[in-house]
Amino acid sequence: MTKPHLFYQYMDPRFLHDHISEGGDTSGGGSSGVDRFPQWSIQETRDLLMIRAELDSTFMESKDNKLLWEMISTKMKERGYNRSVEQCKSKWKTLVTRYKGCETMEQEGMMQQFPFYNELQTFFANRMQRLLWMEPSGLRKRAMEVSSDDEESRNAEKARGHSKKRKKVESGKLHEILEKFKIQQMQTEMQLMKMYERKEEERRMKEMEWRKTMEEMEKERLMLDEQWREREDQRRVREEARAQKRDALITELLNKLTPN
């Protein structure tokens, strides 16, 4: 039996809109005038979940997630989806709400009706794993604050009421994160450059060894050629000497046989 508070939750117009966007139809007929924005396809929703999961560690470190949601909206546009910041945030909150509803429902059939249950289960499992690795510091406290979509909404409301000084501080925090990322990227490039130089040095050494080996082989070949020529010269001299002796013996025999 469905719990009362979940029944009213799923009667929320935002839930019905999201259900229609994922392929459901509450009217039983064609398209209606309920949606003011293009419907979310299955693949588009999966892309949103993937982008949000990639930036989750940054969400856990940042106190003002406005810039991060703008980044998500930009990444969605790069994939061909024209979604605003508010649309992405609203979709994310709806998905989290439905996921939590599936976990508290007594009927297991709700998990089958919600096609993104496994993705969100993996998302929160990965977040919990990161929490276990974090030290008990302010960073861990911040991570616990963003563990649900309700906390994110409250933080967003508080951020809008902060002063310009706070905005500068948060902007500086994001700038610091980007600087750290640039430093890591530069370190990675330096490591790759050192690796390339080491490989190039190894290649040069091997090439020098190969050239040295080829030179030694060439010297050996020349020496063998010289030895062969010397043997050939000696053989030719011996042949000529034998030929002269043979001619001399033939001449002597002819002289003896021939009468005066």
Coordinates of all heavy atoms in Angstrom, one line a residue, residues 10-83:
Y10 N 3.7 12.4 -5.4 CA 3.6 12.0 -6.8 C 2.5 12.7 -7.5 O 2.3 12.6 -8.7 CB 3.5 10.5 -7.0 CG 4.8 9.8 -6.6 CD1 4.9 9.0 -5.5 CD2 6.0 10.1 -7.3 CE1 6.1 8.4 -5.1 CE2 7.2 9.5 -6.9 CZ 7.2 8.6 -5.8 OH 8.4 8.0 -5.5
M11 N 1.6 13.3 -6.7 CA 0.5 14.1 -7.4 C 1.0 15.6 -7.6 O 0.2 16.4 -8.1 CB -0.7 14.1 -6.4 CG -1.5 12.8 -6.4 SD -2.0 12.2 -8.0 CE -3.2 13.4 -8.4
D12 N 2.2 15.9 -7.2 CA 2.8 17.2 -7.4 C 2.9 17.5 -8.9 O 3.4 16.6 -9.6 CB 4.2 17.3 -6.8 CG 4.7 18.7 -6.7 OD1 4.2 19.5 -7.6 OD2 5.5 19.0 -5.9
P13 N 2.4 18.6 -9.4 CA 2.5 18.9 -10.9 C 3.9 18.8 -11.4 O 4.1 18.4 -12.5 CB 2.0 20.4 -11.0 CG 1.1 20.5 -9.8 CD 1.7 19.7 -8.7
R14 N 4.9 19.1 -10.6 CA 6.3 19.0 -11.1 C 6.7 17.6 -11.3 O 7.3 17.2 -12.3 CB 7.3 19.6 -10.0 CG 7.2 21.1 -9.9 CD 8.2 21.6 -8.9 NE 7.8 21.0 -7.5 CZ 8.5 21.3 -6.4 NH1 9.6 22.0 -6.5 NH2 8.1 20.7 -5.3
F15 N 6.1 16.6 -10.5 CA 6.4 15.2 -10.7 C 5.7 14.7 -12.0 O 6.2 14.0 -12.8 CB 5.9 14.4 -9.5 CG 5.9 12.9 -9.7 CD1 7.1 12.2 -9.6 CD2 4.7 12.3 -10.1 CE1 7.1 10.9 -9.8 CE2 4.8 10.9 -10.3 CZ 5.9 10.2 -10.2
L16 N 4.4 15.2 -12.2 CA 3.7 14.8 -13.4 C 4.4 15.3 -14.6 O 4.5 14.6 -15.6 CB 2.3 15.4 -13.3 CG 1.4 14.8 -12.2 CD1 0.0 15.5 -12.2 CD2 1.2 13.3 -12.4
H17 N 4.9 16.6 -14.6 CA 5.6 17.1 -15.7 C 6.9 16.3 -16.0 O 7.2 16.0 -17.2 CB 6.0 18.6 -15.4 CG 6.9 19.2 -16.5 ND1 8.3 19.1 -16.4 CD2 6.6 19.8 -17.6 CE1 8.8 19.7 -17.4 NE2 7.8 20.1 -18.2
D18 N 7.6 15.9 -15.0 CA 8.8 15.1 -15.2 C 8.5 13.7 -15.7 O 9.2 13.2 -16.6 CB 9.6 15.0 -13.9 CG 10.9 14.3 -14.1 OD1 11.8 14.9 -14.7 OD2 11.0 13.1 -13.6
H19 N 7.4 13.2 -15.3 CA 6.9 11.8 -15.7 C 6.6 11.9 -17.2 O 6.9 11.0 -18.0 CB 5.7 11.4 -14.9 CG 5.3 10.0 -15.3 ND1 6.1 8.9 -15.0 CD2 4.1 9.5 -15.8 CE1 5.4 7.8 -15.4 NE2 4.2 8.2 -15.9
I20 N 5.9 13.0 -17.6 CA 5.6 13.1 -19.1 C 6.8 13.3 -19.9 O 7.0 12.8 -20.9 CB 4.7 14.3 -19.2 CG1 3.3 14.1 -18.6 CG2 4.5 14.6 -20.7 CD1 2.4 15.3 -18.6
S21 N 7.8 14.1 -19.3 CA 9.0 14.3 -20.1 C 9.8 13.1 -20.3 O 10.6 13.0 -21.3 CB 9.9 15.3 -19.3 OG 9.2 16.5 -19.1
E22 N 9.7 12.1 -19.5 CA 10.5 10.8 -19.6 C 9.7 9.8 -20.4 O 10.2 8.7 -20.6 CB 10.9 10.3 -18.3 CG 11.9 11.1 -17.5 CD 12.0 10.7 -16.1 OE1 11.4 9.7 -15.7 OE2 12.8 11.3 -15.4
G23 N 8.6 10.1 -20.9 CA 7.9 9.2 -21.8 C 6.5 8.8 -21.4 O 5.8 8.2 -22.1
G24 N 6.1 9.2 -20.2 CA 4.8 9.0 -19.7 C 3.8 9.9 -20.3 O 4.1 10.9 -20.9
D25 N 2.5 9.5 -20.2 CA 1.5 10.3 -20.8 C 0.3 10.2 -19.9 O -0.4 9.2 -19.8 CB 1.1 9.8 -22.2 CG 0.2 10.8 -22.9 OD1 -0.2 11.8 -22.3 OD2 -0.1 10.6 -24.1
T26 N 0.0 11.3 -19.2 CA -1.2 11.3 -18.2 C -2.5 11.6 -18.9 O -3.5 11.5 -18.3 CB -0.9 12.3 -17.1 OG1 -0.7 13.6 -17.7 CG2 0.4 12.0 -16.4
S27 N -2.5 12.1 -20.1 CA -3.7 12.5 -20.8 C -4.3 11.3 -21.6 O -5.5 11.3 -21.9 CB -3.5 13.7 -21.7 OG -2.6 13.3 -22.7
G28 N -3.4 10.3 -22.0 CA -3.9 9.2 -22.8 C -4.0 9.6 -24.2 O -4.4 8.7 -25.0
G29 N -3.7 10.8 -24.6 CA -3.8 11.2 -26.0 C -2.5 11.7 -26.5 O -1.4 11.3 -26.1
G30 N -2.6 12.7 -27.4 CA -1.4 13.3 -28.0 C -0.8 14.3 -27.1 O -1.0 14.3 -25.9
S31 N 0.1 15.2 -27.6 CA 0.8 16.1 -26.8 C -0.2 17.2 -26.3 O -1.2 17.5 -27.0 CB 1.9 16.8 -27.6 OG 1.3 17.5 -28.8
S32 N 0.1 17.7 -25.1 CA -0.8 18.7 -24.5 C 0.0 20.0 -24.3 O 1.2 20.0 -24.5 CB -1.3 18.2 -23.1 OG -0.2 18.0 -22.3
G33 N -0.7 21.0 -23.8 CA 0.0 22.3 -23.6 C 0.6 22.4 -22.2 O 0.8 23.5 -21.7
V34 N 0.8 21.3 -21.5 CA 1.4 21.4 -20.1 C 2.8 21.8 -20.2 O 3.3 22.6 -19.4 CB 1.2 20.0 -19.4 CG1 1.9 20.0 -18.0 CG2 -0.3 19.6 -19.3
D35 N 3.6 21.2 -21.1 CA 5.1 21.5 -21.1 C 5.4 22.8 -21.8 O 5.0 23.0 -23.0 CB 5.8 20.3 -21.9 CG 5.7 19.0 -21.1 OD1 5.4 19.1 -19.9 OD2 5.8 17.9 -21.7
R36 N 6.1 23.6 -21.2 CA 6.6 24.8 -21.8 C 8.0 24.7 -22.4 O 8.4 25.6 -23.1 CB 6.6 26.0 -20.7 CG 5.1 26.4 -20.3 CD 5.2 27.5 -19.4 NE 5.8 27.2 -18.1 CZ 6.1 28.0 -17.2 NH1 5.8 29.3 -17.3 NH2 6.7 27.6 -16.1
F37 N 8.7 23.6 -22.1 CA 10.0 23.4 -22.6 C 10.0 22.0 -23.3 O 9.2 21.1 -23.0 CB 11.0 23.4 -21.4 CG 11.1 24.7 -20.7 CD1 10.5 24.8 -19.4 CD2 11.7 25.8 -21.2 CE1 10.5 26.0 -18.8 CE2 11.7 27.0 -20.6 CZ 11.1 27.1 -19.3
P38 N 11.0 21.8 -24.1 CA 11.1 20.5 -24.8 C 11.3 19.4 -23.7 O 11.9 19.5 -22.7 CB 12.4 20.6 -25.6 CG 12.6 22.1 -25.8 CD 12.0 22.7 -24.6
Q39 N 10.7 18.2 -24.0 CA 10.7 17.1 -23.1 C 12.1 16.5 -23.0 O 12.9 16.6 -23.9 CB 9.8 16.0 -23.6 CG 8.3 16.4 -23.6 CD 7.4 15.2 -24.1 OE1 7.9 14.2 -24.5 NE2 6.1 15.4 -24.1
W40 N 12.4 16.0 -21.8 CA 13.7 15.4 -21.5 C 13.7 13.9 -22.1 O 12.8 13.1 -21.6 CB 14.0 15.4 -20.0 CG 14.4 16.7 -19.5 CD1 13.6 17.7 -19.2 CD2 15.7 17.1 -19.2 NE1 14.3 18.8 -18.7 CE2 15.6 18.4 -18.7 CE3 17.0 16.5 -19.2 CZ2 16.7 19.2 -18.2 CZ3 18.1 17.3 -18.8 CH2 17.9 18.6 -18.3
S41 N 14.6 13.6 -23.0 CA 14.6 12.2 -23.5 C 15.4 11.4 -22.5 O 16.1 11.9 -21.6 CB 15.3 12.2 -24.8 OG 16.7 12.6 -24.7
I42 N 15.4 10.1 -22.7 CA 16.1 9.2 -21.8 C 17.6 9.4 -21.9 O 18.3 9.6 -20.9 CB 15.8 7.7 -22.2 CG1 14.3 7.4 -21.9 CG2 16.7 6.8 -21.4 CD1 13.9 7.4 -20.5
Q43 N 18.1 9.6 -23.1 CA 19.6 9.8 -23.3 C 20.0 11.2 -22.7 O 21.1 11.3 -22.1 CB 19.9 9.7 -24.8 CG 21.4 9.8 -25.0 CD 22.2 8.7 -24.3 OE1 21.8 7.5 -24.3 NE2 23.3 9.1 -23.7
E44 N 19.2 12.2 -22.9 CA 19.5 13.5 -22.4 C 19.6 13.5 -20.9 O 20.5 14.1 -20.2 CB 18.4 14.5 -22.8 CG 18.7 15.9 -22.4 CD 17.6 16.9 -22.9 OE1 16.6 16.4 -23.4 OE2 17.8 18.1 -22.7
T45 N 18.6 12.7 -20.2 CA 18.7 12.6 -18.8 C 19.9 11.9 -18.3 O 20.5 12.2 -17.3 CB 17.4 11.9 -18.3 OG1 16.2 12.6 -18.8 CG2 17.3 11.9 -16.8
R46 N 20.3 10.8 -19.0 CA 21.5 10.1 -18.6 C 22.7 10.9 -18.8 O 23.6 10.8 -18.0 CB 21.6 8.8 -19.5 CG 20.5 7.8 -19.3 CD 20.8 6.5 -20.0 NE 19.7 5.6 -20.0 CZ 19.3 4.8 -19.0 NH1 20.0 4.9 -17.9 NH2 18.3 4.0 -19.1
D47 N 22.8 11.8 -19.8 CA 23.9 12.7 -20.0 C 24.0 13.7 -18.8 O 25.1 14.0 -18.3 CB 23.8 13.4 -21.3 CG 24.1 12.5 -22.5 OD1 24.7 11.4 -22.3 OD2 23.7 12.9 -23.6
L48 N 22.8 14.2 -18.4 CA 22.8 15.1 -17.3 C 23.3 14.4 -16.0 O 24.1 15.0 -15.3 CB 21.4 15.6 -17.0 CG 21.2 16.5 -15.7 CD1 21.9 17.8 -15.9 CD2 19.7 16.7 -15.5
L49 N 22.9 13.2 -15.8 CA 23.4 12.4 -14.6 C 24.9 12.2 -14.7 O 25.6 12.3 -13.7 CB 22.6 11.1 -14.5 CG 21.1 11.2 -14.1 CD1 20.5 9.8 -14.2 CD2 21.0 11.7 -12.7
M50 N 25.4 11.9 -15.9 CA 26.8 11.7 -16.0 C 27.6 12.9 -15.7 O 28.6 12.9 -15.0 CB 27.1 11.1 -17.4 CG 28.6 10.8 -17.6 SD 28.8 10.0 -19.3 CE 28.4 11.4 -20.3
I51 N 27.2 14.1 -16.3 CA 27.9 15.3 -16.1 C 27.8 15.7 -14.6 O 28.8 16.2 -14.0 CB 27.3 16.4 -17.0 CG1 27.5 16.1 -18.5 CG2 27.9 17.8 -16.6 CD1 26.7 17.0 -19.4
R52 N 26.7 15.6 -14.0 CA 26.5 15.9 -12.6 C 27.4 15.0 -11.7 O 28.0 15.5 -10.7 CB 25.1 15.7 -12.1 CG 24.8 16.0 -10.7 CD 25.2 17.4 -10.3 NE 24.9 17.7 -8.9 CZ 25.6 17.4 -7.9 NH1 26.8 16.7 -8.1 NH2 25.3 17.7 -6.6
A53 N 27.6 13.7 -12.1 CA 28.4 12.8 -11.3 C 29.9 13.2 -11.5 O 30.7 13.1 -10.5 CB 28.2 11.4 -11.8
E54 N 30.3 13.7 -12.7 CA 31.7 14.0 -12.9 C 32.1 15.2 -12.0 O 33.2 15.4 -11.6 CB 31.9 14.4 -14.4 CG 31.8 13.2 -15.3 CD 31.9 13.5 -16.8 OE1 31.9 14.8 -17.0 OE2 32.0 12.6 -17.6
L55 N 31.1 16.1 -11.8 CA 31.4 17.3 -11.0 C 31.0 17.2 -9.5 O 31.1 18.2 -8.8 CB 30.7 18.5 -11.6 CG 31.1 18.9 -13.0 CD1 30.2 20.0 -13.5 CD2 32.5 19.4 -13.0
D56 N 30.6 16.0 -9.1 CA 30.1 15.9 -7.7 C 31.2 16.2 -6.7 O 30.9 16.8 -5.7 CB 29.6 14.5 -7.5 CG 28.9 14.3 -6.2 OD1 28.0 15.1 -5.9 OD2 29.3 13.5 -5.3
S57 N 32.5 15.8 -6.9 CA 33.5 16.1 -6.0 C 33.7 17.6 -5.8 O 34.0 18.1 -4.8 CB 34.8 15.5 -6.4 OG 35.2 15.9 -7.7
T58 N 33.6 18.4 -7.0 CA 33.7 19.8 -6.9 C 32.5 20.4 -6.2 O 32.6 21.4 -5.4 CB 33.7 20.4 -8.3 OG1 34.8 19.7 -9.1 CG2 34.1 21.9 -8.3
F59 N 31.3 19.8 -6.3 CA 30.1 20.3 -5.6 C 30.3 20.1 -4.1 O 29.9 21.0 -3.3 CB 28.9 19.5 -6.0 CG 28.1 20.1 -7.1 CD1 28.4 19.8 -8.4 CD2 27.1 21.0 -6.9 CE1 27.7 20.3 -9.5 CE2 26.3 21.5 -7.9 CZ 26.6 21.2 -9.2
M60 N 31.0 19.0 -3.7 CA 31.2 18.8 -2.3 C 32.2 19.7 -1.7 O 32.2 20.0 -0.5 CB 31.7 17.3 -2.1 CG 30.7 16.3 -2.5 SD 31.4 14.6 -2.7 CE 31.8 14.3 -0.9
E61 N 33.1 20.3 -2.5 CA 34.1 21.3 -2.0 C 33.6 22.7 -2.1 O 34.1 23.5 -1.3 CB 35.4 21.1 -2.8 CG 36.1 19.8 -2.7 CD 37.3 19.6 -3.5 OE1 37.6 20.6 -4.3 OE2 37.9 18.6 -3.5
S62 N 32.8 23.0 -3.0 CA 32.3 24.4 -3.2 C 31.1 24.7 -2.4 O 30.2 23.9 -2.2 CB 32.0 24.6 -4.7 OG 31.5 25.9 -4.9
K63 N 31.1 25.9 -1.9 CA 29.9 26.4 -1.1 C 28.8 27.0 -1.9 O 27.7 27.1 -1.6 CB 30.4 27.4 0.0 CG 31.3 26.7 1.1 CD 31.7 27.7 2.1 CE 32.6 27.1 3.2 NZ 33.0 28.0 4.2
D64 N 29.2 27.6 -3.0 CA 28.3 28.2 -4.0 C 28.3 27.4 -5.2 O 29.3 27.4 -6.0 CB 28.7 29.7 -4.2 CG 27.6 30.4 -5.1 OD1 26.6 29.8 -5.4 OD2 27.9 31.6 -5.4
N65 N 27.2 26.7 -5.5 CA 27.2 25.8 -6.7 C 26.6 26.5 -8.0 O 26.3 25.8 -8.9 CB 26.4 24.5 -6.4 CG 25.1 24.8 -5.8 OD1 24.5 25.8 -6.2 ND2 24.6 23.9 -5.0
K66 N 26.4 27.8 -7.9 CA 25.8 28.5 -9.1 C 26.7 28.3 -10.3 O 26.2 28.0 -11.4 CB 25.6 30.0 -8.8 CG 24.9 30.7 -9.9 CD 24.7 32.2 -9.5 CE 24.0 33.0 -10.7 NZ 23.8 34.4 -10.3
L67 N 28.0 28.6 -10.2 CA 28.9 28.5 -11.3 C 29.0 27.1 -11.8 O 29.1 26.8 -13.0 CB 30.3 29.0 -10.9 CG 30.4 30.5 -10.6 CD1 31.8 30.9 -10.1 CD2 30.0 31.4 -11.8
L68 N 28.9 26.1 -10.9 CA 28.9 24.7 -11.3 C 27.7 24.3 -12.1 O 27.8 23.6 -13.1 CB 29.1 23.8 -10.0 CG 30.4 24.0 -9.2 CD1 30.3 23.2 -8.0 CD2 31.6 23.7 -10.1
W69 N 26.5 24.8 -11.7 CA 25.4 24.5 -12.5 C 25.4 25.2 -13.9 O 24.9 24.7 -14.9 CB 24.1 25.0 -11.8 CG 23.7 23.9 -10.7 CD1 23.7 24.1 -9.4 CD2 23.1 22.6 -11.0 NE1 23.3 22.9 -8.8 CE2 22.9 22.0 -9.8 CE3 22.8 21.9 -12.2 CZ2 22.4 20.7 -9.7 CZ3 22.3 20.7 -12.1 CH2 22.1 20.1 -10.8
E70 N 26.0 26.4 -13.9 CA 26.3 27.0 -15.2 C 27.2 26.2 -16.1 O 27.0 26.1 -17.3 CB 26.8 28.4 -15.0 CG 25.8 29.4 -14.4 CD 26.5 30.8 -14.2 OE1 27.7 30.9 -14.4 OE2 25.7 31.7 -13.8
M71 N 28.2 25.6 -15.4 CA 29.1 24.7 -16.2 C 28.3 23.5 -16.7 O 28.6 23.0 -17.8 CB 30.2 24.3 -15.3 CG 31.4 23.5 -16.0 SD 32.7 23.0 -14.8 CE 33.1 24.6 -14.2
I72 N 27.4 22.9 -15.9 CA 26.6 21.8 -16.3 C 25.8 22.2 -17.5 O 25.7 21.4 -18.5 CB 25.8 21.3 -15.2 CG1 26.7 20.6 -14.1 CG2 24.7 20.3 -15.7 CD1 25.9 20.2 -12.9
S73 N 25.1 23.4 -17.4 CA 24.3 23.8 -18.6 C 25.1 24.0 -19.8 O 24.7 23.6 -20.9 CB 23.6 25.2 -18.2 OG 22.9 25.7 -19.3
T74 N 26.4 24.5 -19.7 CA 27.2 24.7 -20.8 C 27.6 23.3 -21.4 O 27.6 23.1 -22.7 CB 28.5 25.4 -20.4 OG1 28.2 26.7 -19.9 CG2 29.4 25.6 -21.6
K75 N 27.9 22.4 -20.6 CA 28.3 21.0 -21.1 C 27.1 20.4 -21.8 O 27.3 19.6 -22.7 CB 28.8 20.2 -19.9 CG 30.2 20.5 -19.4 CD 30.6 19.6 -18.3 CE 32.0 19.9 -17.8 NZ 33.0 19.5 -18.9
M76 N 25.9 20.6 -21.3 CA 24.7 20.1 -21.9 C 24.6 20.7 -23.3 O 24.2 20.0 -24.3 CB 23.5 20.3 -21.1 CG 23.4 19.5 -19.8 SD 23.1 17.8 -20.1 CE 21.4 17.8 -20.7
K77 N 24.8 22.0 -23.4 CA 24.7 22.6 -24.7 C 25.8 22.1 -25.7 O 25.6 22.0 -26.9 CB 24.9 24.1 -24.6 CG 23.7 24.8 -23.9 CD 23.8 26.3 -23.7 CE 22.6 26.9 -23.0 NZ 22.8 28.3 -22.7
E78 N 27.0 21.8 -25.1 CA 28.0 21.2 -26.0 C 27.6 19.8 -26.5 O 28.1 19.4 -27.6 CB 29.3 21.1 -25.2 CG 30.0 22.4 -24.8 CD 31.2 22.2 -23.9 OE1 31.5 21.1 -23.5 OE2 31.9 23.2 -23.7
R79 N 26.7 19.1 -25.8 CA 26.2 17.9 -26.3 C 25.0 18.0 -27.2 O 24.4 17.0 -27.6 CB 25.9 17.0 -25.1 CG 27.2 16.5 -24.3 CD 26.8 15.8 -23.0 NE 27.9 15.4 -22.3 CZ 28.5 14.2 -22.3 NH1 27.9 13.3 -23.0 NH2 29.5 13.9 -21.5
G80 N 24.6 19.2 -27.4 CA 23.5 19.4 -28.3 C 22.1 19.6 -27.6 O 21.1 19.7 -28.3
Y81 N 22.1 19.8 -26.3 CA 20.9 20.0 -25.5 C 20.8 21.5 -25.1 O 21.7 22.0 -24.4 CB 20.8 19.1 -24.3 CG 21.1 17.6 -24.6 CD1 22.2 17.0 -24.0 CD2 20.3 16.9 -25.5 CE1 22.4 15.6 -24.3 CE2 20.5 15.6 -25.8 CZ 21.6 15.0 -25.2 OH 21.8 13.6 -25.5
N82 N 19.8 22.2 -25.4 CA 19.6 23.6 -25.1 C 18.8 23.6 -23.7 O 17.6 23.8 -23.7 CB 18.9 24.3 -26.2 CG 18.8 25.8 -25.9 OD1 19.6 26.3 -25.1 ND2 17.9 26.5 -26.6
R83 N 19.6 23.5 -22.6 CA 19.0 23.5 -21.3 C 19.6 24.6 -20.5 O 20.8 24.7 -20.4 CB 19.2 22.1 -20.6 CG 18.5 21.0 -21.3 CD 17.0 21.1 -21.2 NE 16.3 20.0 -21.9 CZ 15.0 19.9 -22.0 NH1 14.2 20.8 -21.5 NH2 14.5 18.8 -22.7

